[in-house]
Structure formats: C-alpha cells, structure tokens
Amino acid sequence: MQHHPFGDMACSIARTLDVIGDRWSPLVLRDVYVGINRFEQIQRDLGVSRKVLAERLAWLVEKEVLERREYSSRPPRHEYVLTAKGLDLCDVLMAITRWGDRWTAGEAGPPVLYRHHACGEIAHAEPRCAVCGEPMHAGDIDVLPGPGSPNGGTTA
C-alpha cells in the first residue's frame, strides 16, 4: 500500500489522512466499531479483496488505531478491536456520517441512527466548543497558526 508523505506535513488533516485516507480504512473502522471485527466478517461485509483488507488491517494496527487480539489458539484466530486512538477516529466518522445523511441519503433517509447513551434519544453528531459548549461549525471560527506551524502561516 503506497502512501503519500502526508504524515510529515504540518497539517492535522493531512496527518489524519495519512492514517485513514484510502477509501477502505474508514469502512474497516466502521465495521470494527459496530462489532464486525473478524477478518472473514469484515471481508464479507465490505466485499473487499483479501489482499487489500490484510494491508489495511496491518496498516491500522501499525498506526495503533486497531489492536489485533487472539481469540482462539487452536487454530490461531484473531479479531480486531479499536484502541483509544481508533475510538477517537470514530468521532470523525460520525461527522462524515452526519454530512452523508444530510447531503446523500435522499428520500430513503439515513441508513443508521445514533441513540445517545446519556439521554436515550436519537441524535446526530454535532461539534461543540470545548470551552463554552456552543455549536461550532466552519463558519463560526477563525483558523489561526498554532504552535506546531513551522512558519506561523499554516491554517490547518
């Protein structure tokens, strides 16, 4: 699996894409998140080639997004579980899902719903400011150079 050197860029979006920027990795993460966590199950659900799936799983394990755990020693069998890093990436997937539900679901509506554990209600993911708690969308913010910006002019 070839990757562009996005991980070396001073950009959090590029660095994230370095980890999950191909078309299969987010779907693999989705499957593991919902409990489809064995190679054969994931392969069957996605219809992806065994070679591509093996590469994606190895990459996600290498990047510490997934952990490979043995569930049977005779014969040796493994399943994949999300790490804390992987669970955080699922928040990104929820934002992508929100966009997809709004702009691509059509008349049929969203294919899945999210029930919030805290209140028991069906809801969608919405970014909120970590300081004041108000909704935080692209039009509500200014992008400023951060401490990791090499020249003080990077905007991501």
Side-chain angles (χ1 to χ4, degrees):
M1 181 166 60
Q2 292 184 354
H3 290 278
H4 294 289
F6 286 169
D8 295 335
M9 295 175 70
C11 173
S12 294
I13 294 170
R15 291 174 183 160
T16 302
L17 288 175
D18 188 57
V19 176
I20 61 161
D22 68 89
R23 40 190 310 178
W24 291 111
S25 292
L27 298 176
V28 170
L29 289 176
R30 176 208 62 193
D31 274 10
V32 174
Y33 175 70
V34 300
I36 303 170
N37 57 4
R38 296 181 179 170
F39 187 95
E40 299 297 331
Q41 295 172 324
I42 299 167
Q43 198 273 328
R44 186 173 37 253
D45 186 60
L46 296 179
V48 62
S49 78
R50 296 178 66 79
K51 178 182 183 289
V52 168
L53 179 57
E55 289 173 349
R56 295 316 180 268
L57 288 168
W59 176 256
L60 293 168
V61 168
E62 178 184 330
K63 292 299 182 180
E64 300 176 342
V65 172
L66 294 178
E67 181 181 321
R68 186 175 183 243
R69 288 191 187 156
E70 186 174 81
Y71 69 87
S72 171
S73 58
R74 293 186 184 195
R77 301 268 188 221
H78 296 87
E79 62 187 3
Y80 296 87
V81 295
L82 292 165
T83 62
K85 194 174 180 178
L87 193 56
D88 259 5
L89 267 175
C90 289
D91 291 345
V92 174
L93 298 182
M94 288 174 55
I96 292 170
T97 300
R98 180 173 184 243
W99 185 91
D101 289 350
R102 180 172 181 187
W103 297 104
T104 70
E107 290 183 27
V112 299
L113 300 173
Y114 293 122
R115 178 178 293 126
H116 187 225
H117 290 172
C119 68
E121 296 295 323
I122 301 297
H124 62 269
E126 182 168 308
R128 298 208 168 259
C129 175
V131 176
C132 71
E134 290 296 312
M136 190 168 137
H137 299 286
D140 302 328
I141 63 169
D142 294 320
V143 180
L144 309 171
S149 174
N151 60 12
T154 306
T155 59

